[in-house]
């Protein structure tokens, strides 16, 4: 059997690494607009239903959730507020929506209009939203960040 020199072993090793790396990349899930919009719909449905398990599953553990008032919540605060707070969404509509995808991150912008109740009293919501979704290490899309902003009158 022929001996392989050190330099040939290094080249062989690098070649195997490149091939393995390419195979791993091919297995990684790719984001597309439809996947992002389906995730947003599941998020909105979970907020309306006050579904704690779904909200925990669809948000990142290091979530940064910003309200139009300037209040910022982490995942635990956000989920607790939706599930147990006095404000409850009844319906949510997202208009003027755009989705921009860069590798495993999706940025969604839209105008959110909603019917809700606040401490039992009817409330209307009309705000701008930017959301950042990311594929996590398990190829599951989660909400990483959200910021709402007031719209001009």
């Amino acid at each position: 059997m022929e001996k392989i020199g050190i330099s040939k072993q290094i080249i062989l090793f690098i070649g195997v690494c490149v091939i393995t790396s390419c195979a791993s990349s091919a297995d990684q899930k790719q984001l597309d607009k439809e996947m992002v919009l389906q995730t947003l719909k599941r998020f909105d449905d979970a907020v309306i239903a006050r579904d704690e398990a779904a909200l925990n599953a669809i948000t990142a553990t290091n979530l940064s959730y910003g309200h139009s008032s300037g209040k910022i919540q982490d995942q635990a605060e956000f989920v607790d507020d939706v599930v147990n707070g006095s404000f409850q969404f009844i319906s949510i509509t997202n208009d003027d929506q755009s989705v921009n995808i860069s590798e495993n991150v999706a940025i969604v912008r839209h105008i959110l209009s909603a019917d809700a109740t606040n401490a039992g009293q009817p409330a209307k919501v009309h705000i701008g939203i930017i959301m950042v979704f990311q594929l996590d290490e398990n190829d599951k899309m989660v909400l990483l960040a959200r910021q709402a902003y007031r719209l001009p009158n």
Side-chain angles (χ1 to χ4, degrees):
M1 186 170 261
E2 182 181 327
K3 285 187 174 181
I4 299 177
I6 276 291
S7 61
K8 287 183 180 178
Q9 288 177 347
I10 291 172
I11 292 171
L12 181 61
F13 175 75
I14 291 171
V16 169
C17 289
V18 168
I19 291 169
T20 303
S21 173
C22 290
S24 298
S25 297
D27 292 341
Q28 187 175 13
K29 187 185 263 188
Q30 296 296 311
L31 283 181
D32 63 41
K33 184 176 179 178
E34 187 57 35
M35 180 190 309
V36 174
L37 294 176
Q38 287 173 4
T39 302
L40 176 59
K41 170 110 173 70
R42 285 195 337 267
F43 175 82
D44 288 349
D45 290 347
V47 167
I48 292 168
R50 297 181 136 188
D51 185 335
E52 184 174 7
L55 289 168
N56 278 312
I58 206 164
T59 56
T61 55
N62 59 338
L63 173 69
S64 176
Y65 193 91
H67 294 268
S68 61
S69 65
K71 181 179 179 180
I72 306 291
Q73 296 174 313
D74 64 18
Q75 183 191 41
E77 293 166 328
F78 162 70
V79 172
D80 181 63
D81 197 25
V82 170
V83 173
N84 301 308
S86 62
F87 195 91
Q88 182 172 5
F89 284 95
I90 297 167
S91 66
I92 297 173
T93 304
N94 300 312
D95 294 316
D96 298 329
Q97 200 157 54
S98 69
V99 177
N100 293 305
I101 297 171
S102 178
E103 296 182 17
N104 69 337
V105 174
I107 299 170
V108 179
R109 290 182 176 271
H110 57 258
I111 304 302
L112 182 145
S113 298
D115 290 317
T117 59
N118 191 2
Q121 298 300 310
K124 294 274 188 192
V125 178
H126 189 71
I127 53 177
I129 303 284
I130 182 170
M131 302 174 90
V132 180
F133 290 94
Q134 180 180 34
L135 278 180
D136 68 9
E137 61 278 354
N138 299 313
D139 283 340
K140 184 180 94 176
M141 192 177 310
V142 293
L143 178 63
L144 183 62
R146 181 257 201 194
Q147 183 62 57
Y149 54 93
R150 294 187 175 131
L151 297 171
N153 291 333

